[in-house]
Amino acid sequence: MHLFSPSSSSPTSKATLTLFSPSQNPNNNSKLYFKIHTKTRTTIPCSSKESPPVLDPKPLSLESSRTNELNSQESNLVIESKRDSLEGMLVVRRPEMEVSGEDSGQSSGKESDDDNTKSVAVIDVGLEEFAKKMSVFEPERVGSSGSSPQEKPLNVNLDLALYKAKVLARRLKYKEAEEILQKCTSYWPEDGRPYVALGKILGKQSKTEAARAVYEKGCQATQGENPYIWQCWAVLENKMGNMRRARELFDAATVADKRHVAAWHGWAILELKQGNVKKARQLLAKGLKFCGGNEYVYQTLALLEAKANRYEQAQYLFRQATKCNPKSCASWLAWAQLEMQKENNLVARKLFEKAVQASPKNRFAWHVWGVFESNIGNIEKARKLLTIGHALNPRDPVLLQSLALLEYKHSTANLARVLFRKASELDPRHQPVWIAWGWMEWKEGNIPTARELYQKALSIDSTTESAARCLQAWGVLEQRAGNLSAARRLFRSSLNINSQSYVTWMTWAKLEDDQGNNVRAEEIRNLYFQQRTEVVDDVSWVTGFLDILDPAVDSIKKLLNMDQDPYKKAQEALRNISRGEEKGGDDNSAGNSSSNKIGNDKEGGGSSGLDLDSFIKERLSLDATKLDVNLETSASSPAPWRCKSPRSIWKPVKSNRKNVAKF
């Protein structure tokens, strides 16, 4: 048997194999035709120029027998082709004879239809197997590395990566979070969120240069059109003390998007810290103009008015802040503290209730409310509020610190020590805990222990406001102990950190008066007044600003009248608060009924409208009868304050202030 390849001159250029029987003459025109399926499963028909031959009986019987032998192999060949459709091998089917006449035409038509159906079935199976082996989403494998660029993943992967990095940063796994965010900046260089998140993580680790480089790279990648990167960069420079650079960056953020309220507010806070109140007011006004009503802007303006003793304006602005966001716990708390200063205790308690209802798990709300109740004499309620706050925030040392001071004043010092120790174990770097603990030990007469606790507080950070207060308290301790030279050095170190502390200056002057150094005491007082930073505010600005805020206000003159009766002011404030609670009720009757309790409540005897036990049970799933502080501490660990300070506390601290006392 001889196989010959098809002639290259065939016009159809389709593969045809000719099979010759050994008993026949090669010159004979008797031929057998069959089809071969290639890798693409295309059927190759015979040449249309040649007519079907007439076969002799003997060769026909011979080929029929061979055909019968191939019948049993057909199914195996098809099955193997299904199993390995990607190997690139030819699948040869049984040769089929063609007969002359009408029967041959009909039979060939039927067989060709069957062949096409079977071929399509084989192709479907092959594609199915091929699809199973293809990677669904692996951009690094798509295309060759040298010819085509790498495909960018879907945007949903950016959101998932940012969330994962945020979770890792909360768990203090900064290295893993940085690696994820670096990949995000390479895949999505035009998105500003990875740069902001990465810069904040680096800033938390005090890697300021690396954070600055990330923000700069982000501004270049986004072509300076992302205000969030500019604003975060400005905050970083502000923390580093580069005020001029911070102003430029805040300005760039407002240019990138004038509706970015965080930039206006952050810039205003910077100016307030520098004493530029007028500039801060202008920035806050621009924030309201371009961004609309914002709770933080209103709240900052209200605090400015409260600091300037303009109570009605502050109250109005706080009301606007709570209208913008009734769930703003910070606005309710700030307003409540203003009422505390005015001794409107019932109004303040109402506002505290609003604060905890807006944010039931907010630790500041429970803490400030507890301190308020303690100051007006409601000791049991104060203890209960602080305990609830600790149950909701067991990792917060401030609540335990206030509870320890409460127990020291109204219970025993031993219980207070246990609470202080637990608070110091929760956060060993929280300076106020060590300072308060040292003050208690000093009051108890344990001078060496108090010195160790003060030294521990200063070893954490000797440049903060808390460190200045610690040095002042330690100076008083040494003054009472008779170490006057040490007390003077401590007062001087405290003023190098905070030269605006009136208490420290006057305490030092009193020390000199007690020693008979009247001339020296007068010099110290004069130095305080010379270096004091005076804040000048323009009262006329308020009238125009309130006209812009609310043209429908009843009377600007009434708002600016600061000589109103405090009783009437408290009554009006309470009426304004209750308006949001009772729809359709009589505001005057509500105000009159509440105002009758104000006089008695100033001493802490009034009752509030919130059922605290039911509230914490329904909203927080807490049982008021089972609120106890876990006072267990690690007994195996040594006293946390017994460690040597790595810094010398007698070394004066350098300050960046211009007017600092030098002696």
Side-chain angles (χ1 to χ4, degrees):
M1 181 181 293
H2 303 280
L3 291 174
F4 294 91
S5 62
S7 174
S8 60
S9 61
S10 176
T12 58
S13 66
K14 296 182 179 179
T16 305
L17 296 182
T18 308
L19 178 64
F20 292 96
S21 174
S23 62
Q24 291 180 337
N25 188 350
N27 296 327
N28 196 341
N29 292 330
S30 299
K31 298 179 182 179
L32 296 177
Y33 299 93
F34 59 91
K35 302 178 180 65
I36 296 179
H37 288 272
T38 60
K39 184 177 181 179
T40 58
R41 304 295 192 275
T42 57
T43 304
I44 307 175
C46 62
S47 177
S48 61
K49 291 183 178 181
E50 298 179 1
S51 60
V54 180
L55 299 179
D56 294 336
K58 291 183 179 179
L60 183 60
S61 61
L62 176 62
E63 296 301 323
S64 299
S65 63
R66 291 177 181 175
T67 301
N68 293 331
E69 293 177 0
L70 292 175
N71 277 335
S72 61
Q73 300 178 2
E74 181 183 7
S75 59
N76 295 331
L77 290 174
V78 175
I79 293 174
E80 290 182 359
S81 67
K82 294 180 181 179
R83 292 179 180 175
D84 193 8
S85 61
L86 298 178
E87 294 298 326
M89 300 196 57
L90 297 175
V91 180
V92 182
R93 297 186 63 190
R94 175 177 63 85
E96 298 176 344
M97 294 184 301
E98 295 184 5
V99 295
S100 60
E102 298 177 355
D103 296 338
S104 65
Q106 295 176 357
S107 62
S108 62
K110 294 180 180 179
E111 290 176 357
S112 63
D113 293 339
D114 296 339
D115 292 340
N116 290 333
T117 303
K118 294 179 181 179
S119 177
V120 171
V122 173
I123 291 174
D124 293 340
V125 174
L127 289 176
E128 183 180 357
E129 296 295 331
F130 181 74
K132 290 180 180 179
K133 296 181 180 180
M134 283 294 293
S135 58
V136 178
F137 177 66
E138 295 185 36
E140 63 273 7
R141 296 185 182 181
V142 177
S144 60
S145 59
S147 60
S148 61
Q150 192 176 17
E151 280 194 15
K152 186 171 68 174
L154 299 175
N155 289 332
V156 67
N157 294 278
L158 174 60
D159 299 331
L160 295 174
L162 290 174
Y163 177 76
K164 186 176 182 181
K166 183 179 180 180
V167 172
L168 291 173
R170 286 179 178 176
R171 298 176 182 175
L172 304 181
K173 297 180 180 180
Y174 295 126
K175 187 176 181 180
E176 294 86 343
E178 291 175 16
E179 293 177 356
I180 293 175
L181 294 173
Q182 289 287 0
K183 292 181 180 180
C184 291
T185 56
S186 62
Y187 277 118
W188 297 275
E190 71 283 352
D191 198 300
R193 291 177 294 172
Y195 300 102
V196 172
L198 183 57
K200 288 183 178 180
I201 290 177
L202 293 173
K204 289 180 180 180
Q205 303 176 72
S206 300
K207 299 179 181 179
T208 54
E209 294 297 331
R212 184 187 286 116
V214 168
Y215 290 139
E216 185 175 0
K217 180 181 176 182
C219 291
Q220 293 176 356
T222 57
Q223 300 179 358
E225 297 180 356
N226 192 301
Y228 297 93
I229 304 178
W230 291 113
Q231 188 253 340
C232 292
W233 191 358
V235 172
L236 177 67
E237 297 294 342
N238 187 17
K239 290 181 179 179
M240 297 175 63
N242 303 327
M243 303 302 174
R244 182 176 179 181
R245 181 60 172 162
R247 288 187 178 96
E248 295 175 353
L249 295 170
F250 276 126
D251 191 14
T254 57
V255 171
D257 186 4
K258 64 181 180 181
R259 295 182 300 274
H260 189 63
V261 67
W264 295 109
H265 186 262
W267 193 356
I269 296 298
L270 183 149
E271 298 296 343
L272 284 176
K273 291 182 179 179
Q274 296 298 312
N276 303 325
V277 179
K278 188 175 181 180
K279 178 66 174 178
R281 288 184 180 278
Q282 293 175 357
L283 294 170
L284 293 172
K286 288 183 179 179
L288 290 176
K289 177 182 177 181
F290 295 120
C291 311
N294 183 271
E295 55 180 297
Y296 299 104
V297 177
Y298 281 126
Q299 180 182 336
T300 304
L301 285 170
L303 292 175
L304 285 176
E305 299 306 315
K307 189 175 181 180
N309 295 323
R310 292 191 283 266
Y311 170 74
E312 292 292 342
Q313 294 90 322
Q315 189 183 50
Y316 171 77
L317 292 169
F318 276 129
R319 190 178 300 112
Q320 295 298 320
T322 54
K323 284 182 180 179
C324 289
N325 184 11
K327 296 296 183 181
S328 176
C329 183
S331 299
W332 292 112
L333 284 179
W335 191 359
Q337 292 182 74
L338 175 65
E339 300 296 341
M340 285 171 53
Q341 295 176 3
K342 296 297 180 180
E343 297 183 356
N344 299 326
N345 295 331
L346 183 58
V347 178
R349 185 176 290 113
K350 272 282 189 182
L351 294 170
F352 281 124
E353 293 173 0
K354 290 281 190 180
V356 297
Q357 288 174 351
S359 180
K361 295 185 179 181
N362 191 292
R363 57 193 177 100
F364 299 104
W366 296 105
H367 178 253
V368 180
W369 191 5
V371 173
F372 162 73
E373 297 293 348
S374 175
N375 291 336
I376 63 177
N378 293 337
I379 306 303
E380 291 300 326
K381 188 170 185 178
R383 183 183 288 110
K384 184 176 183 179
L385 292 170
L386 293 174
T387 307
I388 293 172
H390 174 69
L392 297 173
N393 303 274
R395 302 295 303 172
D396 182 47
V398 180
L399 289 163
L400 284 178
Q401 172 193 338
S402 297
L403 189 58
L405 292 174
L406 180 68
E407 297 297 344
Y408 171 67
K409 187 176 180 180
H410 300 282
S411 182
T412 62
N414 291 331
L415 180 57
R417 286 190 184 96
V418 175
L419 293 171
F420 276 127
R421 185 185 299 274
K422 184 175 177 61
S424 64
E425 290 179 353
L426 290 177
D427 188 0
R429 297 189 60 83
H430 190 72
Q431 285 181 304
V433 170
W434 301 104
I435 298 171
W437 193 355
W439 175 84
M440 189 199 74
E441 296 295 346
W442 170 46
K443 290 296 183 181
E444 288 295 303
N446 301 324
I447 305 300
T449 304
R451 289 194 180 103
E452 291 182 2
L453 293 168
Y454 285 145
Q455 188 173 0
K456 173 61 180 176
L458 292 173
S459 67
I460 297 172
D461 192 350
S462 60
T463 61
T464 61
E465 296 293 332
S466 296
R469 290 192 293 270
C470 179
L471 289 167
Q472 189 267 341
W474 195 350
V476 174
L477 183 151
E478 297 298 341
Q479 178 185 356
R480 301 287 176 85
N483 302 325
L484 301 182
S485 60
R488 291 187 178 96
R489 290 196 296 270
L490 289 166
F491 289 144
R492 186 184 300 113
S493 299
S494 176
L495 291 173
N496 283 334
I497 299 174
N498 182 15
S499 62
Q500 303 296 310
S501 176
Y502 174 82
V503 176
T504 306
W505 284 104
M506 296 301 108
T507 304
W508 190 0
K510 187 176 184 305
L511 183 150
E512 300 297 341
D513 281 332
D514 293 342
Q515 298 300 316
N517 301 328
N518 297 329
V519 177
R520 181 60 172 163
E522 190 63 25
E523 290 178 355
I524 292 172
R525 293 188 184 95
N526 292 335
L527 284 172
Y528 165 70
F529 289 107
Q530 290 175 7
Q531 61 82 45
R532 183 183 58 178
T533 302
E534 294 185 0
V535 179
V536 180
D537 202 355
D538 187 9
V539 182
S540 62
W541 182 89
V542 182
T543 304
F545 182 71
L546 290 178
D547 282 331
I548 296 172
L549 281 180
D550 192 0
V553 72
D554 295 335
S555 176
I556 298 297
K557 294 181 180 180
K558 183 178 180 181
L559 287 177
L560 294 176
N561 185 10
M562 303 304 298
D563 298 329
Q564 290 184 358
D565 187 5
Y567 180 85
K568 293 182 179 179
K569 289 191 294 184
Q571 179 179 352
E572 180 66 23
L574 204 68
R575 185 183 298 111
N576 291 329
I577 296 172
S578 60
R579 282 175 184 172
E581 296 178 352
E582 300 178 1
K583 295 182 179 179
D586 189 1
D587 294 338
N588 295 326
S589 61
N592 293 330
S593 62
S594 300
S595 63
N596 293 331
K597 302 179 182 179
I598 293 178
N600 296 330
D601 192 66
K602 286 185 179 180
E603 302 299 329
S607 60
S608 62
L610 178 66
D611 188 354
L612 193 59
D613 295 343
S614 301
F615 175 76
I616 63 175
K617 185 175 182 180
E618 294 175 1
R619 295 286 300 274
L620 304 172
S621 301
L622 291 178
D623 189 357
T625 60
K626 299 179 180 179
L627 290 175
D628 293 326
V629 179
N630 185 11
L631 301 180
E632 295 180 1
T633 57
S634 56
S636 60
S637 61
W641 70 85
R642 298 189 180 278
C643 58
K644 293 184 178 180
S645 173
R647 302 180 182 179
S648 176
I649 61 170
W650 307 110
K651 184 177 179 180
V653 181
K654 294 183 179 180
S655 176
N656 56 359
R657 298 180 182 272
K658 295 182 180 179
N659 299 323
V660 179
K662 300 294 183 182
F663 302 98

